[in-house]
């Protein structure tokens, strides 16, 4: 009995040992890789894009075995392909990179010989050019505010966006990078407890091109948009909250202006306040004539928007927005433009907690609320799309993230 | 992994963070690493930040003095992901020193 138990234990031990030291190729995937293209003196001339095969082993492997070209075979559409390099990261690597050329092969398989040959099909999904991205790149921003009026008025601002489909265009090779083309759904608006604070909704479905560029060591992005939009506003006559007041195709762009975040960036290097310094954003959109719910033509307009944030510390974040709409072919007696601004001062709730004792009792000493919950005070004035009603309000609010 | 390489990787990661616009990463990177990504990045940037960060990692790590290969894989982050987790679970996988 003891002998049998001993043999069983030795067998299990050997089994575990063989698993630990096995160099089984588990997975391989084709991946887009950017590499520096260097000159004869090692200087970087440009960057180029390659398609490499990343291989994953079940356990860390002997680097001498995996860097030996004789142990590998890569088949592309049935023929053996030449490897130009094999790269490992450490002395006991689990991941190994095979350098091709591998581009343009639909059926790639990799074979690694360690005793017996193990062959795996290469997953090329990682460089799939077009991807459904529903739920990816989603952003949900909801703020609730109480207006500082004599009577209690409440408003809910929302800003929802989601990428439905994304077509990957290119990896960065220089200082300008057109990353992707995406199909996005976006909805923004304000609902309120009274006509005075309702400003309707804007919902659009459209294509966006996403270029990035580098200036002064920082990255900036642009968005070029073409979309179909409908705008709603409250109809006081029949109390319909989502009365469609405009349906149209629109086009425009949004751009972050270089260097505008540089002062705040430099301040953060000194103070150590960890927050991404936001550049000034400029948005321009042209909206041709549209039609409302009953088919009546609406005015064409040009909307210009700017947005800026100055985050001095968790105690003092200042945000401002300015909008201007200019209308074309305006009938006599109607304003040919409308402008609007809003300024908000926000504080991290964690910073407020440090100074107000009862909040500490209420929220505890946990670090979890830091950087997540904010209180703000906002002043808004003017008229903006879609309802263009006169707004002149001061409000206090609470937001998760800011 | 040698101590020297680990140091270089961390240095490159911090430079890439700074390139996105997080100034604190330039001098106080050790204090930024344990922080939650979505707490440091303003809400307007939440959806664009992963691609913005990959662009910066590519720019920094393929440039001087590193000249590394960088796989084009966008990071996934949840509401609680920290920069340290991105460093260990994403950055170290996509760069090839």
């Amino acid at each position: 009995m003891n002998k049998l138990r001993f043999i069983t234990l030795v067998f299990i031990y050997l089994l575990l040992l063989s698993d630990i030291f096995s160099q089984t190729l588990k997975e391989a995937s084709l991946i887009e890789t950017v590499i520096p293209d260097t000159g004869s003196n090692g200087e970087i001339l440009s960057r180029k894009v390659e398609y490499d095969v990343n291989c994953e082993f079940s356990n860390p492997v002997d680097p001498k075995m995996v860097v030996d070209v004789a142990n590998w075979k890569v088949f592309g559409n049935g023929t053996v392909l030449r490897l130009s390099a094999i790269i490992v990261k450490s002395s006991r690597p689990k991941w190994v990179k095979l350098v091709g050329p591998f581009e343009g092969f639909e059926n790639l398989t990799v074979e690694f010989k360690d005793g017996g040959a193990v062959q795996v099909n290469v997953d090329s999904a990682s460089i799939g050019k077009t991807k459904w991205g529903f739920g990816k790149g989603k952003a949900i921003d909801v703020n609730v505010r109480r207006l500082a009026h004599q009577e209690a008025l409440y408003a809910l601002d929302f800003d929802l966006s989601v990428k439905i489909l994304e077509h990957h265009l290119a990896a960065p090779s220089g200082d300008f990078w057109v990353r992707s083309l995406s199909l996005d759904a976006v909805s923004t608006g304000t609902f309120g407890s009274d006509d005075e604070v309702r400003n309707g909704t804007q919902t659009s479905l459209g294509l966006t091109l996403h270029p990035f560029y580098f200036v002064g060591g920082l990255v900036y992005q642009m968005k070029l948009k073409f979309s179909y939009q409908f705008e709603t506003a409250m109809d006081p006559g029949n109390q319909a909250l989502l009365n469609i007041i405009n349906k149209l195709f629109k086009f425009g762009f949004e751009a972050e202006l270089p260097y505008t975040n540089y002062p705040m960036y430099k301040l953060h290097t000194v103070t150590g306040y960890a927050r991404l310094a936001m550049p000034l954003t400029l948005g321009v959109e042209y909206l041709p004539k549209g039609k409302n719910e009953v088919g009546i033509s609406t005015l064409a307009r040009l909307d210009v928007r700017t947005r800026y944030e100055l985050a001095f510390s968790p105690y003092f974040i200042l945000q401002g927005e300015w909008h201007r709409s200019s209308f074309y072919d305006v009938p006599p007696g109607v304003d040919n433009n409308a402008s609007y601004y809003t300024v908000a001062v926000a504080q991290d709730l964690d910073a407020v907690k440090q100074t107000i004792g009862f909040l500490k009792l209420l929220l505890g000493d946990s670090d979890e609320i830091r950087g997540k919950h904010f209180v703000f005070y906002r002043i808004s004035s003017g008229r903006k799309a879609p309802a263009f009603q006169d707004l002149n309000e001061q409000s206090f609010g609470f937001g998760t993230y800011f | 992994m040698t101590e020297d390489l680990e140091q270089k990787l961390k240095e490159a990661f911090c430079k890439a963070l700074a390139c996105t616009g997080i100034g604190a990463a330039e001098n106080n990177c050790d204090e930024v690493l344990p922080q939650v990504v979505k707490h440091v990045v303003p809400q307007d940037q939440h959806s664009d930040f992963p691609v913005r960060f990959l662009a910066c990692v590519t720019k920094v790590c393929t440039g001087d003095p590193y000249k590394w290969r960088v796989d084009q894989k966008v990071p996934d982050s949840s509401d609680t992901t920290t920069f340290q987790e991105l460093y260990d679970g994403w950055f170290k996988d996509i760069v090839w020193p």
Side-chain angles (χ1 to χ4, degrees):
Chain A
M1 188 64 185
N2 279 344
K3 200 174 176 183
L4 187 67
R5 189 180 291 170
F6 176 74
I7 290 168
T8 311
L9 281 172
V10 168
F11 180 73
I12 291 169
Y13 176 73
L14 289 173
L15 208 65
L16 285 171
L17 210 62
S18 70
D19 187 49
I20 288 166
F21 290 108
S22 73
Q23 300 189 144
T24 311
L25 181 60
K26 203 171 85 179
E27 214 176 293
S29 57
L30 191 65
I31 193 145
E32 197 175 14
T33 303
V34 177
I35 60 167
D37 196 6
T38 51
S40 54
N41 297 325
E43 77 279 16
I44 295 171
L45 302 173
S46 64
R47 290 170 176 82
K48 61 182 182 182
V49 179
E50 275 192 4
Y51 293 90
D52 298 337
V53 172
N54 285 356
C55 300
E56 187 185 7
F57 286 84
S58 50
N59 291 300
V61 287
D62 176 5
K64 280 181 191 164
M65 287 286 292
V66 290
V67 295
D68 187 351
V69 179
N71 287 331
W72 291 95
K73 262 187 191 165
V74 181
F75 302 92
N77 297 347
T79 57
V80 180
L81 304 176
R82 182 183 56 82
L83 289 180
S84 58
I86 299 168
I87 305 170
V88 293
K89 282 186 186 178
S90 61
S91 54
R92 294 287 294 166
K94 209 177 162 186
W95 282 90
V96 177
K97 182 184 274 292
L98 308 178
V99 181
F102 302 128
E103 195 180 358
F105 294 97
E106 281 180 18
N107 298 309
L108 271 174
T109 49
V110 174
E111 191 179 283
F112 178 69
K113 288 180 204 165
D114 174 31
V118 176
Q119 196 175 66
V120 296
N121 291 323
V122 175
D123 170 23
S124 59
S126 53
I127 59 156
K129 291 288 184 189
T130 303
K131 290 176 187 169
W132 286 100
F134 199 81
K136 287 215 166 191
K138 71 176 184 296
I140 301 169
D141 176 8
V142 178
N143 289 317
V144 181
R145 3 182 219 119
R146 184 202 184 284
L147 270 67
H149 279 230
Q150 283 179 338
E151 51 182 321
L153 299 177
Y154 294 91
L156 185 139
D157 308 312
F158 68 93
D159 185 344
L160 316 170
S161 64
V162 67
K163 270 194 184 85
I164 297 169
L165 192 70
E166 189 170 24
H167 181 72
H168 180 184
L169 293 168
S173 56
D175 284 342
F176 187 78
W177 175 31
V178 185
R179 158 77 192 178
S180 61
L181 181 69
S182 63
L183 178 68
D184 302 330
V186 180
S187 185
T188 61
T190 303
F191 292 115
S193 62
D194 190 88
D195 284 355
E196 205 174 334
V197 291
R198 291 174 190 135
N199 195 50
T201 66
Q202 292 178 303
T203 303
S204 63
L205 180 69
L207 295 170
T208 309
L209 195 68
H210 301 259
F212 284 84
Y213 53 102
F214 296 89
V215 180
L218 299 180
V219 69
Y220 298 93
Q221 67 169 322
M222 282 181 75
K223 287 177 183 173
L224 302 167
K225 300 173 175 181
F226 175 72
S227 48
Y228 182 75
Q229 173 169 285
F230 66 89
E231 299 178 323
T232 69
M234 172 80 182
D235 179 0
N238 60 16
Q239 291 293 303
L241 195 63
L242 296 172
N243 183 43
I244 295 176
I245 56 165
N246 205 1
K247 294 184 284 185
L248 72 168
F249 283 99
K250 63 169 189 177
F251 59 91
F253 72 90
E254 234 178 76
E256 293 176 353
L257 303 187
Y259 293 115
T260 49
N261 58 344
Y262 207 67
M264 210 39 60
Y265 173 89
K266 287 314 274 182
L267 180 73
H268 295 164
T269 63
V270 178
T271 62
Y273 177 38
R275 187 169 171 93
L276 193 152
M278 293 286 286
L280 177 79
T281 308
L282 173 69
V284 178
E285 272 178 1
Y286 177 70
L287 298 90
K289 282 181 182 177
K291 283 187 176 172
N292 68 10
E293 205 165 27
V294 288
I296 296 172
S297 177
T298 57
L299 295 176
R301 68 175 200 260
L302 184 76
D303 287 351
V304 178
R305 285 191 314 277
T306 59
R307 190 174 189 285
Y308 200 32
E309 177 186 284
L310 297 170
F312 294 98
S313 74
Y315 292 90
F316 186 35
I317 299 171
L318 199 60
Q319 281 184 353
E321 267 184 66
W322 178 81
H323 298 226
R324 186 182 176 88
S325 297
S326 305
F327 301 97
Y328 296 94
D329 302 324
V330 179
V334 178
D335 284 347
N336 60 1
N337 62 61
S339 58
Y340 167 87
Y341 75 85
T342 180
V343 176
V345 184
Q347 254 196 6
D348 191 325
L349 195 59
D350 187 64
V352 182
K353 193 184 76 175
Q354 303 305 323
T355 50
I356 304 176
F358 83 91
L359 273 176
K360 205 166 187 174
L361 288 172
L362 207 67
L363 301 165
D365 273 333
S366 161
D367 279 345
E368 283 171 18
I369 66 162
R370 186 172 301 158
K372 189 174 177 186
H373 302 304
F374 289 83
V375 285
F376 63 86
Y377 169 67
R378 182 188 292 171
I379 300 170
S380 308
S381 183
R383 297 188 301 137
K384 73 165 180 173
F388 292 107
Q389 58 194 31
D390 277 319
L391 296 172
N392 191 9
E393 59 189 35
Q394 297 176 43
S395 55
F396 299 94
F398 171 82
T400 296
Y401 302 119
F402 204 73
Chain B
M1 193 177 291
T2 64
E3 208 172 296
D4 185 44
L5 178 59
E6 179 70 41
Q7 202 180 331
K8 271 189 181 173
L9 284 169
K10 198 170 155 189
E11 179 190 272
F13 183 79
C14 292
K15 279 186 188 174
L17 268 184
C19 159
T20 63
I22 301 170
E26 200 175 295
N27 296 332
N28 302 287
C29 196
D30 283 336
E31 287 174 27
V32 177
L33 288 175
Q35 302 217 28
V36 174
V37 176
K38 288 196 173 174
H39 294 182
V40 172
V41 176
Q43 182 159 33
D44 274 11
Q45 281 292 338
H46 280 185
S47 59
D48 295 323
F49 183 76
V51 177
R52 198 182 183 98
F53 194 23
L54 177 63
C56 280
V57 166
T58 306
K59 171 85 174 164
V60 169
C61 296
T62 56
D64 277 325
Y66 310 109
K67 296 175 187 166
W68 297 334
R69 284 171 178 268
V70 179
D71 292 343
Q72 295 301 292
K73 193 176 159 195
V74 178
D76 274 331
S77 58
S78 70
D79 284 353
T80 56
T81 304
T82 63
F83 287 108
Q84 184 70 51
E85 285 164 350
L86 284 189
Y87 175 65
D88 293 321
W90 168 74
F91 179 76
K92 283 181 171 177
D93 283 349
I94 67 158
V95 295
W96 294 80

